[in-house]
Amino acid sequence: MDEFSVIERFFTRPPTRNDVCVGVGDDAAVVNAPAGHQLVVTTDVLVAGVHFLESVDAHSVGYKSLAVNLSDLAAMGATPAWAVLGLVVPSVNVLWLERFSSGFFSLAERFDVDLVGGDTTRGPLTVAVQLGGWVPHGTALRRKGARKDDYVYVSGTLGDAALAMRNRDGALDLSTAEAAAAARRLDYPEPRVELGARLRPFASAAIDISDGLVADLGHLLRNSKVGAKILLEQLPLADAYKSRVGEIGWEPALSTGDDYELCFTAAPEHEFEIKALADELEVNVARIGAVIDGDEIIFLDPKGQRYEPRAHGYNHFAEE
Ligand code: ADP
Ligand code: MG
């Protein structure tokens, strides 16, 4: 099967959105920008052996390649609209492409995203997705904007992906059901797209947690030129994690990453609205601390003692 048949068979779907004028099949895509909106665009590259194991189901690779980008747009408060897919594969493996494409489109359909173009070449397995979306002019959520006394919030639960990885490595002893739930969170993270968009009126700053809370909250705070006090007791943990905190400690929730939850700040006066929004969307939103002056994150354990995280998050170019 040649390149064009691959594109035609696995990646050509008629546009479904009315703002997409030209999709796959021309030299480039043409998209209408809605009046009064700004384009928000992001890209994430997944490399086999670095971001995912070659043995993982291609369905999850397709899903996750879009999910991580959706998570970035969610953190900006943007509504996703279209994607471009750069795909590098070592050979045409019909089964792999079938699984990949169905994972990708399962999520694209759920969030009303059209795949409008891409590029397909041969080489070491790599998936680069670019995602565009819209935000009303001037309303994008930024990493800067957090202010002293704002509350710090996190969506969902933290550390599940880390638990799944440890379990896979044989370092943990999860039950079958716990292992399945954790693996699902690693392979099929839920991008908090609606939460992000609905937080635009309330959040003072936002970021998505891809490299762990310590690293990503750190980025938010540095950009906002403030610090934070975080209560470890308030971290939202899945039951499987909660019952093992004594054994595995706080690090999986703080430093491993791959959670794709939102971390955001908001003035205390919005607490009720945020809680109501969380209830409406049926998303867990936990208040984990508050913004303080300074430039550090102070973690307090349940006894009120200061806790110093061991690792500072995943960093591709960190020196060993
Ligand atoms: P060009 O030579 O102009 O780059 P290509 O032959 O690479 O065009 O691609 C043909 C069409 O297929 C273009 O519209 C391109 O955007 C689209 N395309 C190529 N690869 C993919 C892919 N993996 N997913 C979606 N669209 C793709
Ligand atoms: Mg091309």
Side-chain angles (χ1 to χ4, degrees):
M1 191 183 286
D2 70 5
E3 179 191 332
F4 301 105
S5 322
V6 167
I7 297 167
E8 164 113 26
R9 173 156 168 200
F10 299 107
F11 300 110
T12 305
R13 303 232 177 147
T16 64
R17 297 178 56 93
N18 54 22
D19 53 1
V20 173
C21 310
V22 180
V24 171
D26 216 309
D27 292 310
V30 181
V31 178
N32 284 334
H37 286 67
Q38 287 172 304
L39 169 66
V40 182
V41 65
T42 186
T43 189
D44 255 313
V45 181
L46 303 187
V47 180
V50 179
H51 300 93
F52 60 92
L53 300 175
E54 235 134 328
S55 58
V56 81
D57 184 354
H59 189 275
S60 143
V61 178
Y63 176 104
K64 205 165 167 178
S65 69
L66 183 56
V68 297
N69 283 283
L70 287 166
S71 179
D72 279 321
L73 280 206
M76 300 298 287
T79 302
W82 47 264
V84 178
L85 168 63
L87 186 62
V88 186
V89 286
S91 62
V92 174
N93 176 337
V94 169
L95 227 58
W96 192 94
L97 288 164
E98 191 90 65
R99 297 289 297 155
F100 176 89
S101 151
S102 96
F104 183 95
F105 282 112
S106 71
L107 196 58
E109 274 166 29
R110 262 183 62 205
F111 287 103
D112 193 21
V113 169
D114 275 357
L115 181 63
V116 298
D119 199 23
T120 308
T121 61
R122 187 190 293 269
L125 184 56
T126 302
V127 183
V129 171
Q130 187 175 55
L131 181 67
W134 313 115
V135 77
H137 205 281
T139 67
L141 298 176
R142 304 285 311 275
R143 294 178 175 188
K144 66 174 190 190
R147 299 171 59 165
K148 180 176 182 293
D149 297 329
D150 282 356
Y151 291 149
V152 179
Y153 296 90
V154 167
S155 68
T157 51
L158 296 179
D160 306 69
L163 254 58
M165 287 184 260
R166 289 187 184 202
N167 193 58
R168 252 173 222 181
D169 297 345
L172 262 185
D173 201 12
L174 300 183
S175 74
T176 312
E178 288 171 338
R184 187 152 182 91
R185 294 267 298 148
L186 174 64
D187 295 334
Y188 294 95
E190 178 67 28
R192 305 298 183 186
V193 172
E194 185 156 17
L195 178 64
R198 298 278 300 275
L199 280 172
R200 285 198 310 259
F202 311 126
S204 51
I207 191 166
D208 76 315
I209 305 178
S210 50
D211 298 327
L213 181 69
V214 175
D216 290 316
L217 174 58
H219 295 313
L220 184 156
L221 298 173
R222 249 186 313 286
N223 279 272
S224 297
K225 300 188 167 60
V226 288
K229 185 187 278 184
I230 302 297
L231 305 176
L232 294 174
E233 204 170 20
Q234 311 284 353
L235 293 181
L237 307 179
D239 290 338
Y241 189 168
K242 243 183 239 161
S243 61
R244 290 176 179 80
V245 173
E247 177 193 339
I248 57 185
W250 304 105
E251 296 303 315
L254 293 180
S255 306
T256 308
D258 247 7
D259 292 312
Y260 302 102
E261 293 295 347
L262 295 184
C263 176
F264 60 96
T265 56
E269 72 211 54
H270 293 309
E271 188 174 27
F272 181 78
E273 287 141 314
I274 287 167
K275 185 156 185 345
L277 178 60
D279 288 347
E280 183 196 329
L281 300 180
E282 296 177 18
V283 182
N284 185 51
V285 173
R287 191 177 121 197
I288 61 168
V291 175
I292 58 175
D293 281 331
D295 59 3
E296 58 178 347
I297 314 182
I298 298 174
F299 290 96
L300 296 177
D301 73 13
K303 290 184 183 132
Q305 304 283 323
R306 192 144 175 197
Y307 175 86
E308 204 53 54
R310 257 176 281 137
H312 286 268
Y314 194 76
N315 179 338
H316 283 285
F317 297 105
E319 285 161 31
E320 294 296 312

